[in-house]
Amino acid sequence: MQHLIVTAMRRSLAVICALTLLAQPVVSSADDGVAAAEVQAIAVMEAFLETFNARDEAAWADTLVFPHLRMASGTVVVYQNREEFLAAMDLDAFAANTGWRRSTWDDMAVIQSSAQKVHIRVRFSRFDANDELIASYDSLYIIEPVDGRWGVRARSSFAP
């Protein structure tokens, strides 16, 4: 009798193990595409900040895709192309007007993603020449590929 109980318990355990394995998520090529998109998007964000801090407007523009949209200070600005963006940018003047020297990503989290678009919530801070905090702001960045190159399509910020 005890042998029958042990056998039944073993069979039950085997069934539970099999069901547990079947319940595990299966990683598919679609999941791989989303993971690859997220890696690309984070790389774009790092390049965005690096080129911004370097005050290299041309390289900074290369981290964007166009048309590019920026929502901040109660306005929506759409840059139709790279040339229009570059004509409007002067990071040296921005630094002189605001006391800004550099910015940092304080927090960055992918909040939604697909193989063709990634939404990233960020908090960034601006610092002056003495490395004193000027301010911190929350933002949302939307990263997409255009012609096989990933870039920032849109950003919405609480920064001025």
Side-chain angles (χ1 to χ4, degrees):
M1 180 74 163
Q2 186 176 2
H3 173 69
L4 292 175
I5 293 173
V6 170
T7 302
M9 288 176 63
R10 284 184 182 155
R11 285 184 184 149
S12 295
L13 184 57
V15 168
I16 290 169
C17 287
L19 290 174
T20 301
L21 288 173
L22 290 172
Q24 297 300 313
V26 176
V27 177
S28 69
S29 60
D31 292 335
D32 290 345
V34 172
E38 291 177 2
V39 167
Q40 291 291 326
I42 296 299
V44 165
M45 295 295 288
E46 295 300 339
F48 178 96
L49 191 64
E50 181 181 329
T51 57
F52 181 71
N53 282 335
R55 300 184 195 181
D56 185 342
E57 289 99 347
W60 189 34
D62 291 341
T63 68
L64 311 176
V65 293
F66 297 94
H68 175 77
L69 179 133
R70 181 175 187 252
M71 296 173 62
S73 305
T75 63
V76 177
V77 179
V78 178
Y79 301 98
Q80 292 299 323
N81 54 53
R82 186 176 193 279
E83 294 73 27
E84 185 178 319
F85 177 80
L86 288 172
M89 292 302 118
D90 185 343
L91 292 177
D92 289 330
F94 171 73
N97 292 336
T98 63
W100 169 81
R101 169 63 181 96
R102 68 179 183 92
S103 295
T104 60
W105 296 134
D106 302 327
D107 182 51
M108 186 184 319
V110 172
I111 58 171
Q112 295 173 311
S113 59
S114 73
Q116 293 300 308
K117 187 182 339 183
V118 179
H119 295 177
I120 300 177
R121 182 197 73 229
V122 300
R123 181 165 183 82
F124 70 91
S125 293
R126 291 180 180 159
F127 295 87
D128 66 15
N130 296 319
D131 222 25
E132 296 291 325
L133 178 67
I134 296 171
S136 297
Y137 304 100
D138 294 317
S139 299
L140 174 68
Y141 283 63
I142 300 172
I143 317 298
E144 293 182 319
V146 171
D147 298 328
R149 185 182 66 78
W150 285 82
V152 179
R153 167 67 77 189
R155 50 198 164 116
S156 174
S157 174
F158 291 100

